[in-house]
Amino acid sequence: MSGARANLLGAQGARELIAFLEGGGDATIELRPDPSARARLIRLTRPTGQDATGHLTHPTERNTTGHPTDPARRDDTAGRDAAERVSGRLLDRHVFELAPDPRRPVRAAPPAVPPDAVVLTNAPDYAARFAAGRGDGVSAHVRVIVDATDPRLRAARWSQPVEDLLDLHERTFIKAKECAPHLDGGSFVVSVVGGVTEAGVPLPFTGLFTGLVKSLALEFPGADVLATVHQDVPLDEVLATVSAELGARRLIPVTYHAGGVRLTPRAVPTPAPPSEVPALGADALVVAAGGARGIGAPILEALAARHRPRLVVLGSSELPDETGEELDRSAFIRAQLRQGASVPEANARFDRLGEARQVRRTLAGLERLCGPGRVRYLRCDLRDGGAVERALATVNGPIDLLLNIAGTNRASGVAAKSVADFRAVRDLKVRTYLNLKEATRGREPRLWCNFGSFIGLTGQRGETDYGAANDFLNTSAMNADGEFTIGWTLWRDIGLGATPLMRDFLEGSGEFTPTPTEEGVEHFMAELAAAPDAPVTVFFGDKERAAIRAAVPEFLEFSAGAPSSARAAARPLPYIDRVLRRDAGELVAERTFSMDRDGYLDLHQVRGYPTLPGTFVPELAAQAAVALVPGRVPVVFEDLRLESFLRIYRADRPEVKRLTARLLRADEGESVVAVKVLGDVVAPNGVTVARDRVHFSVTVRLRDAPVPGPAWTHWDEHGSRPLRDPYHVPGSEVLLREVFASTTGTRTHPLGRRGRLALDAPALRRWFPDLLVPSVTLDGLVRVAVLERVAGRWTPVAIPRSIRRIDLYGGHTDLTLAALTEPVELYVTPVDLDLEDPEPDNRAIAVASSGEVLLQVKDIIGAVVGYVDQETGEYVDRERFDREERP
């Protein structure tokens, strides 16, 4: 036995085994129960046909998802289809789009390009940035920097830059193949510069690289595999983004960065809109590139039955003479052997002849439906631009619909896949598409439909070539008028899903929804009627959703129909119990505070009473604001005023507060909401001191997506002096415990004051699982402002009274910050800060280890209520200190 080996593990192993049995793949197969086990080599004999004895054939017909089809197979499935129609369709329509998805760091951001990385690029300027020869050899770290800034790459048309890009794409696959044994624990990053517009539309050739990366990420789960797509920005900005992304959580391994926003692809459940206008008029001209076999055949039949168009089919099969005689594989092979052919050559010739006969039968059926002389078959190699142009030059009249159906599939892992197979699979879709574009230049079809695949959205192990080609069809359609790409999943009765072996596999894996032919045709006709409602749609069902949910639980929520900003707004609002009044411009809500539900207040005491931290006011305001303006997220709080404490004096007496939110103004970029928290002030003895008194007020700015954080340079430790946190000292007038003990390493510094965030994740999950604002972090950050020595030994204890501005960056919550594996540093400047200055000029900043600012507070005014002795821990109140200790 000879040839490369395929490791058969899980679903991908089953696919490779199926490919082997269908006639593809390697001559030697390894079976391993797990990656660490010894391989067991077995000899398998490929079935060669379905003759009179009932042995399996070697089906080579391909459907649009590139899977083999038995050309003679047409099962009678009417009974099953009828049952499924009663229970409803199996697949749901999803619209592919990009949506804001703020970055959430989970670990320290590593260097964008490690010293030992292999670097590939098509740009001399980028190559000069790195040491000579960085594209040679193997490494655990691979970087591909794609220069897609040439204006000729903005359209899906042939040009020299396109040829160069295809060459880099192929070299990227080869480098993945070479480095595959080393990638576990390493990284593989592809960055496309100039691959997305400022409006967030991916340019056509971006999909080549993002589709490849999606499949690579699934094939190498032990490596950090991702693609970043950028506008035409400087390389340093690209590398900074790569570094940040390597330290962040990603829903799928592709992020786009456009107009200052981080975007992630998603699939939004969206029914096709109804249409009363026929998709095709009388005497319409339909051109199909491929489609005489596989899933294209029933779709062409449906078009013919409904619209009776003039139909031109392009294909590569040489049609045999008309004959009703069915060939016997065994007799055919014996005859070929007598003429000197080998058994494999004879089998291949029989399969090609069977495919050609299937094409002829399809064409005959189409002509019966459309009418004599209305169906033409033009033989040409779709990968040959000249052949496609010559074929279409013989077609007269404007093209009403072009169907780009061609595709093939040779599923195999990167290590086992040959470069020739990679090129063949990719090029049949990519070159066919570009050749059709050139051949129809100046006579562009009114509608253009590409047959894509679900794999273009998610990737698939063993499908680096097929995933790349299908994502290219996605991004190309997003840049063309009247064009749309349909991402199909497997079809049950045609293609790979129709084989008995694959049917058993699908039922056992539970990962794929086998589509009944009739349902697939109905989906196509609905898409055609709605065209061009959406440039890219994807069809999948419950089984695919379950598989996605198991791999990336958040992705389906992200795809539920609202961007991440709206998801944040749609979360539970624990500080709103009841909305008393709401219209387009104002909301009045109510919240009851009690020790039964707000036990955390006992962990934040002021003068011995459970008290809501003043820094929780932005949280209350945020919840009121998003209840009034759903679909946007709070990013800025201005003019925060803390007028009176919100306390609970007695455990048996709840405190009812009212939140009012009033919309001040709104436009396409921002909504501005004024929020107040009011309540009756009740003294400890139960006497109402004041009614509808304002506790807090603040103005909230909301936008469609979180704002990325600016950069900060961390201070070194030179000159730091540790200081005890005065809020954790027993006897302090403001005493914080447990979840509010959120800082460590508090100290002074020649440039200001310092600390480090120390969040208690279990306590956060217990008390604050649904907050919109990192409120505990904000509380700890503001407290760092008190760190100084008065009279050489005393540190103030203060309560905030006002804050001019708070900026939130990156959409973080306390829980996402608690999940970071690297520390968050807290800084306050200037060094001579005076908290009681009526005209403050100070700043407090929370910074990730990467230098990205997470939270910023400007111009805090506080009231000092006492002091803690740094040497003894003694607390004295303000009056006593002023009397006895102030120099």
Side-chain angles (χ1 to χ4, degrees), residues 204-278:
F205 295 97
T206 300
L208 281 173
F209 294 92
T210 55
L212 185 150
V213 164
K214 291 172 191 176
S215 293
L216 273 183
L218 295 172
E219 192 158 333
F220 296 104
D224 208 346
V225 181
L226 70 141
T228 61
V229 185
H230 312 260
Q231 296 175 247
D232 185 359
V233 296
L235 181 58
D236 284 341
E237 183 176 332
V238 172
L239 297 179
T241 299
V242 169
S243 176
E245 288 299 326
L246 286 168
R249 171 165 173 73
R250 297 177 297 277
L251 294 176
I252 61 174
V254 177
T255 59
Y256 295 79
H257 305 269
V261 179
R262 179 183 188 261
L263 302 165
T264 292
R266 67 177 184 179
V268 182
T270 311
S275 175
E276 300 298 329
V277 180

